[in-house]
Every structure is written in structure tokens, then in C-alpha cells.
Amino acid sequence: MAKPPARVPTKFKPKVCPFCKDRAQEIDYKDTGLLRKFLSDRGKIRARRVSGTCRQHQRDVAVAVKNAREVALLPYVSLGAEKGGGRGRA
């Protein structure tokens, strides 16, 4: 039997933290436009591996999102994904 071809490792470009790259940009809970980039369509905070932020800035983003939710600048849950599939009761 013939062997399957070996996988060639592909070179990938590592993600660079947008906050480390642009040092002038600060994480502020009042900047909802910036914080929405780090939320999923359902309102969950995106993971580090998805958003590309470093460890410290991911913590800062999470704290800022939680503060913005507390003062009602961001929703806790997005109701836009209500219809279609899911685990809801029928």
C-alpha cells in the first residue's frame, strides 16, 4: 500500500497585539466602538487566540468590557441571534 504524502509545515505569520503595536491607543470602557471589535455577535468576549491581543491587553479589554456593561454602554447579551437553531425550548 502506498503511503499518503507527508504534510509540509506551512509558515504562518504570528498575530501582533494591536495595542502593543500602536502604543498611543488606550483601552477605555467609554470607547464602545473599540470594545465591540472584541465581542462576538452574541455579546461574548472573544478569546486571545481569536482577537490576537497579548495577555495583559486581553485582561484590560475584559475589564473594560465588564465596566462598560455595568454602566449600560454595552449589552450583556445580544438578542440579534434569537431566531434559528440553538438550544432554546420550542
Side-chain angles (χ1 to χ4, degrees):
M1 247 193 189
K3 255 201 238 182
R7 281 193 170 187
V8 178
T10 57
K11 294 189 177 189
F12 64 93
K13 183 179 173 185
K15 290 184 181 179
V16 179
C17 176
F19 300 106
C20 291
K21 186 169 57 174
D22 181 22
R23 297 209 183 253
Q25 190 176 20
E26 289 186 18
I27 302 170
D28 187 18
Y29 75 94
K30 293 174 273 189
D31 189 1
T32 58
L34 175 71
L35 294 178
R36 283 186 191 273
K37 293 178 187 176
F38 298 97
L39 293 177
S40 70
D41 57 342
R42 306 193 85 184
K44 294 182 177 183
I45 301 172
R46 293 192 191 272
R48 268 184 59 212
R49 61 185 166 78
V50 177
S51 65
T53 56
C54 66
R55 207 179 279 156
Q56 182 60 47
H57 287 124
Q58 177 68 20
R59 287 190 196 120
D60 295 342
V61 166
V63 168
V65 167
K66 291 172 186 177
N67 287 340
R69 285 174 175 167
E70 188 71 25
V71 293
L73 296 174
L74 289 175
Y76 280 96
V77 178
S78 176
L79 299 178
E82 228 172 73
K83 294 184 179 177
R87 295 187 185 180
R89 294 184 184 176

